[in-house]
């Protein structure tokens, strides 16, 4: 109980009153506190709302500024990004699919791209990723179709951007998706660029095995030249013909066995340094074969992921995957690529670069003759022809049409000519393919010089002349055998001491040699035997044979003598050709020449075509002007010691001036033409003032006939002690086709001091024949030659002439039969044997010598025997003189031209 202050306790009512007062005061305090708190809360809420509004406004302002700045930055960077993409991925490598530029040919072949487009940003900026200088990509995707689309796009971009033959794409498509079919137009036309996709493990093994060889060879070349990377080799030489190699594997590891995996790992580990690149589509849902650890390959490649049609590459922003290419666009661009491949050429190596310094030209031959035909990067490609240590005596050259075979032969021929003098090297060059490459090597109307080492030059050679050359060379082997015996039975030309008694080396070049052997006849049999003997024995005697061909498949004579001939030919040079012909030229299983890309590339092999000894070379370019200048220089250096070569042309007549420059006519031995032989001696016939003398020319062709009469008449005049007299009877009534030749003949004969009478009109011929017959009877026709040009064209030859009791044919018959004993000899031309027989009688005036031009075979056999064959070829004649057991084919002379008159007179007068 509470006490009062004075110590007395307070009353209860007082306490209650005090308590109520306190309760009321506390309530007042709480009300005041509530009112104060609510106001502060409202002020706080209001302040918070103000702050929120201010923050939102600030954010809006900041976002606008950021967006503006971002847009401004993107606007400034986008052109730079496009320029950078175009520089890293040139040409079509960075262009969007189906863009108008894909329908233009201007960007095709701009250059091999190190980077390639994978997609674009939302603003359309291209995203390009590094590829060719890396080992490659591991491509994963949420959908296999997206990965295939990306790789298909990359393949088309790569082959469209690269220069022709600078990049090749091989694909392995084990699930037969046909993804590479987009490039089908190119695969059909140029499988060297994009071969048909492989589908089996065996096919893939072949591709990878070839790439192992490529990688090994590149590693050796880079080490040899001090380069770590393939592109460094390209930059330095500019002549490397190997392409970048891209391999696309779809749905990996499906279809990959342990053998393929082993090669893939070996190749991928150094792919970026060797110009190789792998694009591997990894399908995680596919289980690998036992012992195939897919991670091992994938770890060597850069990851590329495609998720929701967005391409993700490390250190690059995600890019939107491009849509697929339109098939018509792809086909069109493939056609353009094929067109560029058709005309693609390599950088050339100047021929002069392969020549030695001039002070070293024409050094004496020691153990071998050799030359440089081109380069393998910086290394000269040498061909060394030798008889031993090791024996490398002969060369086989092959290549498809237009791939540089003729250029290679010219490089080899001129390279040897610059190194060895005519005293140490002779050349026999025969071209059987009717080309013109060898024609410039001999003398010509406007070209007095020639390659001084050439002994025989067959331009447009025919089989008969080729056989004649082989016979001549076979005889040369026998002659050299006697030389060897005279020096103590030496076994090799290298053992002979230098000097005038040591015979020169002989280079025999037979271009399209298979022509000699392709017909089933006696000529082919003999040629095959002689060629086999030449390559077998020629090595020791210093005779080196170069056999050149486009193809030797299907030649019957080679099927039985292939080993005996080619077994003696260690050098093989194959230019671009088919796999079958590559194996025929090099060796079975060696298809390296089918992998060549350019005209002028070659596989040089000095070990009978063994694949391990292939050398990839670029043949130097034989510029015509440079070669002609070299020939003129060598010809001048040789001086007067060399004589012109024996030049033979298929289906062309002989040149009288050429023969006259080398041979002097003899009395009583006029020239009918040249033999199909190496000798330059013309085919002469015995014509003496005695019965049976004369020459009957039979067959079609007034130009050929005039050429024959020209050779007979000029050689007769030049070989006579006293200039004879000629009566030229023209039964063609002065045909325009022979007017120049006829006038030139008459002018030459007169320049040689001969009296020449011409009878041109038909009406004057009969009286002149009767007058000439009367002169003969009276002994006043001595030293006279009747040139009857076309007696078959003279009308009424067998009809009694007015004022005479006989026909002009009777007078002609008496002249031909009885004239020789009186010094009157006839050289006459008729178009047919039976016409000649009708005019001269059955015995044809007892003349023994017949020269057939284009004449039916029955008439030829009536004179020369039933077994004679005569093909009646242009500018060929068949001589039958009754003295030799067989008829002889000769090449008649061409009629003289007006501009040859002065030179002809000068030459035959010597």
């Amino acid at each position: 109980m509470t006490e009062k202050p004075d110590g007395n306790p307070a009353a209860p009512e007082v306490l209650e009153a005090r308590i109520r007062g306190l309760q009321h005061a506390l309530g007042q305090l709480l009300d005041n506190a509530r009112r104060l708190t609510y106001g502060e809360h409202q002020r706080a809420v209001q302040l918070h709302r103000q702050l929120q509004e201010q923050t939102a406004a600030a954010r809006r302002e900041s976002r606008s500024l950021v967006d503006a700045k971002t847009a401004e930055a993107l606007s400034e960077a986008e052109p730079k990004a496009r320029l950078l993409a175009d520089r890293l991925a040139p040409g079509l490598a960075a262009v969007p699919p189906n863009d108008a530029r894909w329908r233009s040919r201007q960007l095709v072949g701009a250059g091999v791209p190190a980077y390639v487009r994978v997609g674009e940003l939302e603003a359309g900026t291209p995203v390009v990723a590094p590829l060719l200088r890396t080992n490659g990509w591991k491509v994963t995707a949420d959908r296999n179709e997206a990965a295939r689309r990306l790789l298909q796009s990359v393949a088309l971009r790569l082959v469209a951007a690269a220069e022709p033959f600078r990049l090749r794409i091989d694909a392995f498509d084990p699930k037969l998706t046909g993804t590479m079919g987009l490039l089908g137009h190119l695969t059909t036309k140029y499988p060297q660029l994009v071969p048909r996709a492989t589908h089996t493990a065996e096919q893939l093994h072949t591709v990878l095995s070839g790439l192992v060889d490529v990688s090994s060879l590149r590693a050796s070349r880079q080490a040899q030249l001090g380069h770590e990377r393939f592109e460094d080799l390209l930059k330095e030489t500019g002549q490397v013909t190997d392409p970048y190699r891209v391999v696309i594997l779809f749905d990996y590891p499906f279809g990959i066995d342990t053998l393929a995996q082993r090669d893939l790992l070996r190749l991928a580990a150094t792919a970026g340094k060797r110009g190789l690149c792998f694009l591997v589509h990894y399908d995680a849902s596919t289980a690998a074969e036992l012992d195939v650890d897919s991670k091992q390959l994938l770890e060597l490649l850069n990851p590329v992921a495609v998720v929701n049609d967005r391409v993700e590459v490390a250190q690059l922003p995600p890019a939107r995957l491009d849509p697929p290419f339109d098939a018509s666009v792809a086909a069109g661009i493939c056609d353009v690529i094929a067109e560029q491949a058709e005309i693609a050429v390599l950088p050339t190596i100047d021929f002069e670069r392969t020549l030695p310094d001039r002070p070293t030209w024409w050094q004496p031959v020691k153990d071998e003759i050799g030359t440089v035909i081109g380069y393998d990067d910086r290394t000269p490609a040498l061909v060394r022809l030798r008889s031993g240590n090791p024996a490398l005596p002969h060369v086989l050259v092959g290549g498809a049409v237009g791939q540089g075979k003729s250029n290679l032969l010219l490089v080899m021929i001129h390279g040897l000519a610059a190194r060895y003098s005519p005293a140490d090297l002779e050349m026999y060059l025969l071209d059987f393919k009717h080309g013109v490459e060898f024609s410039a090597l001999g003398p010509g109307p406007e070209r007095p010089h020639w390659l001084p080492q050439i002994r025989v030059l067959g331009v447009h050679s025919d089989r008969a002349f080729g056989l004649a050359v082989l016979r001549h060379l076979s005889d040369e082997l026998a002659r050299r055998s006697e030389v060897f015996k005279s020096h103590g039975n030496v076994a090799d030309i290298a053992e002979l001491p230098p000097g005038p008694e040591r015979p020169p080396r002989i280079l025999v070049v037979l271009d399209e040699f298979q022509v000699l052997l392709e017909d089933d006849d006696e000529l082919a049999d003999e040629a095959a035997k002689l060629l086999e003997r030449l390559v077998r024995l020629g090595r020791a005697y210093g005779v080196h044979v170069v056999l050149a061909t486009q193809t030797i498949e299907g030649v019957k004579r080679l099927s039985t003598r292939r080993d005996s001939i080619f077994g003696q030919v260690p050098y093989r040079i194959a230019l671009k050709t088919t796999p079958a012909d590559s194996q025929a030229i090099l060796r079975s299983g060696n298809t390296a020449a089918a992998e060549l890309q350019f005209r002028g590339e070659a596989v040089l092999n000095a070990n009978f075509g063994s694949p391990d000894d292939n050398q990839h070379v670029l043949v130097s370019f034989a510029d015509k002007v440079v070669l002609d200048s070299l020939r003129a220089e060598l010809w001048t250096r040789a001086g007067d010691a060399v004589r012109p070569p024996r030049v033979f042309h298929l289906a062309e007549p002989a040149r009288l001036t050429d023969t006259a420059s080398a041979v002097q006519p003899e009395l009583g031995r006029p020239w009918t033409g040249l033999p199909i032989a190496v000798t330059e001696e013309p085919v002469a016939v015995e014509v003496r003032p005695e019965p049976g003398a004369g020459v009957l020319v039979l067959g079609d062709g007034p130009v050929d006939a005039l050429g024959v009469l020209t050779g007979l008449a000029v050689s007769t005049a030049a070989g006579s002690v006293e200039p004879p007299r000629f009566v030229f009877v023209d039964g063609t009534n002065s045909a325009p086709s022979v007017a120049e030749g006829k006038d030139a003949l008459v002018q030459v004969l007169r320049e040689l001091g001969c009296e020449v009478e011409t009878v041109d009109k038909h009406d004057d011929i009969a009286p002149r024949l009767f007058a000439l017959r009367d002169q003969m009877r009276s002994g006043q026709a001595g030293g006279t030659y009747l040139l009857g040009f076309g007696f078959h064209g003279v009308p009424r030859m067998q009809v009694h002439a007015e004022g005479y009791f006989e026909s002009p044919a009777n007078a002609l018959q008496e002249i031909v039969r009885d004239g020789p004993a009186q010094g009157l000899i006839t050289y006459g031309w008729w178009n047919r044997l039976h016409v000649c027989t009708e005019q001269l009688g059955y015995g044809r005036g007892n003349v023994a010598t017949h020269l057939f031009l284009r004449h039916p075979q029955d008439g030829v056999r009536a004179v020369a025997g039933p077994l004679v064959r005569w093909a009646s070829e242009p500018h060929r004649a068949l001589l039958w003189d009754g003295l030799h057991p067989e008829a002889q084919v000769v090449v008649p002379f061409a009629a003289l031209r007006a501009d040859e008159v002065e030179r002809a007179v000068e030459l035959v007068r010597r």
Side-chain angles (χ1 to χ4, degrees):
M1 182 173 138
T2 305
E3 293 182 355
K4 296 181 180 180
D6 57 4
N8 294 323
E13 57 273 14
V14 174
L15 289 174
E16 289 181 3
R18 288 179 180 176
I19 290 171
R20 285 194 295 270
L22 288 172
Q23 288 177 341
H24 177 75
L26 181 60
Q28 290 289 330
L29 180 61
L30 288 174
D31 288 341
N32 291 337
R34 287 191 187 100
R35 286 193 294 270
L36 180 62
T37 301
Y38 179 76
E40 291 299 328
H41 174 72
Q42 291 300 315
R43 284 193 294 271
V45 170
Q46 184 177 2
L47 180 60
H48 177 67
R49 288 175 178 172
Q50 289 175 351
L51 289 175
Q52 283 183 324
E53 291 175 357
Q54 290 174 358
T55 300
R59 285 176 176 171
R60 286 194 298 271
E61 182 179 358
S62 176
R63 186 178 297 113
S64 298
L65 290 173
V66 169
D67 290 346
K69 292 294 184 181
T70 302
E72 181 180 355
L74 289 176
S75 177
E76 292 178 357
E78 202 272 341
K80 296 179 181 179
R82 289 185 183 274
L83 289 175
L84 180 60
D86 289 340
R87 181 171 62 82
L88 295 174
L92 293 169
V95 175
N98 308 322
D99 185 282
R101 286 170 288 182
W102 281 95
R103 299 186 182 274
S104 169
R105 62 182 60 236
Q106 293 181 353
L107 295 180
V108 176
V112 177
Y115 286 62
V116 68
R117 177 186 173 107
V118 295
E120 64 183 15
L121 301 178
E122 296 300 329
T125 306
V127 176
V128 297
L131 178 59
L132 285 186
R133 296 181 184 179
T134 71
N135 293 339
W137 294 349
K138 171 192 72 174
V139 180
T140 58
D142 54 356
R143 295 180 301 110
N144 285 334
E145 186 277 330
R148 293 174 188 140
R149 189 208 308 177
L150 174 62
L151 294 183
Q152 182 188 68
S153 170
V154 169
L156 183 58
R157 293 180 190 285
L158 288 174
V159 76
E163 304 99 315
F165 300 108
R166 290 294 192 181
L167 183 139
R168 167 175 167 154
I169 300 177
D170 290 273
F172 178 55
D173 184 9
K175 290 188 177 180
L176 309 180
T177 65
T179 305
M180 295 301 291
L182 187 71
L183 284 73
H185 273 240
L186 193 56
T187 298
T188 300
K189 296 180 179 179
Y190 273 93
Q192 308 99 306
L193 303 180
V194 183
R196 194 172 301 281
T198 56
H199 307 295
T200 66
E202 291 74 16
Q203 294 172 330
L204 180 61
H205 294 164
T206 302
V207 173
L208 296 178
S209 176
L211 284 173
V212 168
D213 292 339
V214 168
S215 183
S216 174
L217 179 61
R218 290 182 181 179
S220 299
R221 291 162 69 191
Q222 288 169 214
Q224 177 186 5
L225 298 176
H227 295 300
E228 184 179 358
R229 302 187 63 85
F230 180 66
E231 53 268 18
D232 297 331
L233 190 65
L234 288 174
K235 289 177 182 177
E236 179 188 334
T237 65
Q239 296 158 1
V240 176
T241 56
D242 289 342
Y244 280 93
R245 299 293 297 270
V246 177
V247 178
I248 302 178
L249 304 179
F250 292 105
D251 302 294
Y252 177 84
F254 187 84
I256 301 297
D257 58 15
T258 54
L259 179 59
Q261 178 74 359
R262 183 200 65 185
D263 285 342
L264 285 170
L265 293 176
R266 287 198 296 166
L267 291 167
T270 58
K273 295 180 179 180
R274 305 284 181 258
L276 311 180
C277 184
F278 290 87
L279 292 171
V280 178
H281 163 219
Y282 174 55
D283 182 1
S285 65
T286 299
E289 288 190 10
L290 189 65
D291 296 331
V292 173
D293 185 357
S294 57
K295 291 182 179 179
Q296 290 181 310
L297 175 62
L298 300 178
E299 288 175 352
L300 299 173
L301 308 175
N302 295 334
V304 176
V306 185
V307 180
N308 294 326
D309 284 346
R310 301 189 72 82
V311 183
E312 299 176 359
V313 183
Q315 299 180 346
L316 291 175
R320 184 172 55 201
L321 180 65
D322 286 325
F325 277 89
D326 183 86
S328 63
V329 171
I333 212 68
C334 286
D335 289 340
V336 174
I337 297 169
E339 291 174 13
Q340 289 199 357
E342 191 73 30
I343 61 175
V345 295
L346 272 176
T348 57
I349 296 175
D350 292 335
F351 169 70
E352 291 175 306
R353 182 180 166 192
T354 67
L355 294 179
D357 295 334
R358 277 172 171 75
T360 66
W361 288 10
W362 289 13
Q363 295 296 311
V365 174
K366 295 181 181 179
D367 297 332
E368 64 181 42
I369 59 173
T371 188
V372 177
I373 63 170
Y375 278 82
D376 176 3
D377 295 331
R378 294 183 302 187
T379 305
L382 289 167
V383 173
R384 304 165 60 194
L385 302 177
R386 56 191 302 157
S387 55
N389 288 329
L392 299 169
H394 312 303
V395 185
L396 176 62
V397 178
V401 178
Q403 296 308 314
K405 175 167 60 68
S406 296
N407 175 79
L408 170 61
L409 295 178
L410 291 174
V411 166
M412 187 183 302
I413 291 166
H414 287 80
L416 290 168
R419 288 169 169 83
Y420 307 102
S421 74
D424 285 326
L425 177 62
E426 290 183 349
M427 297 184 182
Y428 291 68
L429 311 179
L430 302 183
D431 183 358
F432 292 98
K433 73 174 185 305
H434 308 168
V436 296
E437 285 78 11
F438 287 173
S439 61
L441 276 60
E446 305 297 331
R447 185 182 59 251
H449 57 270
W450 61 87
L451 198 65
Q453 288 84 353
I454 297 180
R455 176 74 175 82
V456 172
L457 182 61
V459 182
H460 304 176
S461 300
D462 68 2
R463 299 174 68 235
F465 185 69
L467 179 62
V469 171
L470 292 179
R471 287 171 176 169
H472 173 83
L473 291 169
S474 182
D475 294 341
E476 177 65 16
L477 294 181
R479 189 189 72 80
R480 294 190 175 202
S481 175
E482 296 300 319
V483 174
F484 282 19
K485 291 177 183 178
S486 68
H487 284 77
N489 287 323
V490 299
D492 193 291
I493 192 172
E495 299 175 18
L496 291 176
E501 293 188 5
R502 185 175 73 175
R505 300 292 180 114
I506 292 178
L507 179 73
V508 183
V509 179
L510 305 178
D511 194 7
E512 299 303 329
F513 75 97
Q514 78 282 355
V515 172
L516 267 173
L517 313 175
E518 61 189 5
D519 288 350
D520 188 13
D521 56 14
E522 294 178 358
L523 190 154
D525 283 336
E526 184 179 358
K529 292 176 183 177
L530 290 173
L531 183 59
E532 180 182 350
R533 181 171 188 268
L534 189 63
V535 297
R536 179 167 49 85
L537 302 179
R539 177 185 72 183
Y541 294 113
V543 179
H544 306 287
V545 181
V546 178
L547 302 173
T549 181
Q550 292 175 6
T551 179
I552 54 178
E553 291 298 303
V555 180
K556 181 179 179 181
R557 292 299 182 284
L558 285 178
S559 63
T560 57
R561 287 188 166 87
R562 185 184 187 92
D563 293 339
S564 60
I565 293 177
F566 297 148
Q568 309 293 328
V569 185
Y571 264 119
R572 312 291 172 91
I573 305 177
L575 298 112
K576 180 181 175 183
T577 189
T578 64
D581 282 336
S582 177
Q583 295 180 82
I585 297 298
L586 295 171
R587 189 177 188 173
S588 178
N590 192 345
T591 60
E595 300 295 324
L596 299 175
Q597 309 296 336
F598 293 93
R599 180 184 187 275
E601 285 185 275
V603 175
L604 173 62
N605 191 300
N607 190 20
F608 298 93
S610 173
D612 294 336
D613 295 288
N614 287 343
Q615 184 181 359
H616 188 176
V617 304
L618 179 59
V619 180
S620 65
F621 175 64
D623 181 77
K624 291 182 180 179
V625 175
V626 172
L627 295 187
D628 187 65
S629 176
L630 175 63
R631 288 192 294 270
E633 182 177 351
L634 297 177
W635 180 75
T636 301
R637 176 181 286 216
D640 297 333
V642 295
R643 56 180 178 171
R646 166 74 165 98
V647 181
F648 183 89
H649 295 265
L650 174 66
E652 291 187 18
R655 311 303 305 185
L656 184 60
T657 51
D658 293 342
T659 303
S661 67
V663 183
Q664 283 292 102
E666 299 178 27
L667 176 64
R669 291 181 56 79
W671 301 342
T672 60
L674 290 183
I676 300 181
V678 172
T679 178
E680 296 173 334
E681 291 286 336
V683 179
V685 293
E686 296 288 340
V687 176
R688 304 187 183 281
E690 55 190 31
V695 178
L696 307 181
V697 183
L698 306 166
D700 291 325
V703 176
D704 284 345
L706 180 60
V708 173
L709 295 183
T710 297
L712 291 168
V714 172
S715 58
T716 296
S720 299
V721 177
E722 294 291 334
R725 182 166 67 103
F726 290 90
V727 178
F728 191 105
V729 175
D730 186 356
T732 67
N733 208 19
S734 299
S737 61
V738 294
E740 181 183 13
K742 172 185 167 183
D743 293 342
L745 170 59
V746 171
Q747 187 176 350
V748 168
L749 294 175
R750 286 173 176 166
E751 291 284 342
L752 293 174
C754 302
E755 177 187 342
V756 182
E757 176 189 356
T758 61
V759 183
D760 298 327
K761 297 180 179 179
H762 284 163
D763 292 342
D764 297 335
I765 292 177
R768 188 64 187 91
L769 289 177
F770 285 119
L772 187 60
R773 191 267 310 268
D774 293 342
Q775 289 176 334
M776 178 198 69
R777 287 176 174 177
S778 63
Q780 298 177 359
T784 300
Y785 290 84
L786 172 61
L787 301 179
F789 183 61
F791 279 129
H792 57 274
V794 182
R796 299 183 299 279
M797 276 289 287
Q798 293 169 273
V799 178
H800 286 193
E802 185 177 351
Y804 297 89
F805 296 102
E806 55 187 336
S807 67
N810 296 131
L812 179 60
Q813 180 178 346
E814 189 173 343
I815 290 171
V816 173
R817 184 187 65 238
D818 301 334
Q822 302 296 323
L824 173 58
I825 296 173
T826 301
Y827 301 147
W829 167 52
W830 290 261
N831 68 338
R832 288 293 183 273
L833 174 68
H834 70 86
V835 178
C836 176
T837 302
E838 290 171 356
Q839 293 185 2
L840 300 184
Y842 180 74
R844 292 181 294 282
N846 298 325
V847 176
T849 303
H850 296 68
L851 192 75
F852 291 95
L853 300 173
R854 293 189 292 278
H855 194 284
Q857 188 161 258
D858 58 347
V860 178
R861 288 178 171 175
V863 173
L867 301 180
V868 171
R869 296 180 184 177
W870 180 232
S872 297
E873 298 174 356
H875 307 300
R876 294 293 181 268
L878 186 70
L879 176 65
W880 172 261
D881 61 6
L883 301 176
H884 296 85
E886 294 183 358
Q888 181 179 4
V889 178
V890 300
V891 182
F893 295 109
L896 289 169
R897 302 190 308 267
D899 59 0
E900 292 180 307
V901 170
E902 183 177 346
R903 177 167 171 75
V905 172
E906 176 186 350
L907 291 172
V908 298
R909 268 181 174 167
R910 291 181 301 132

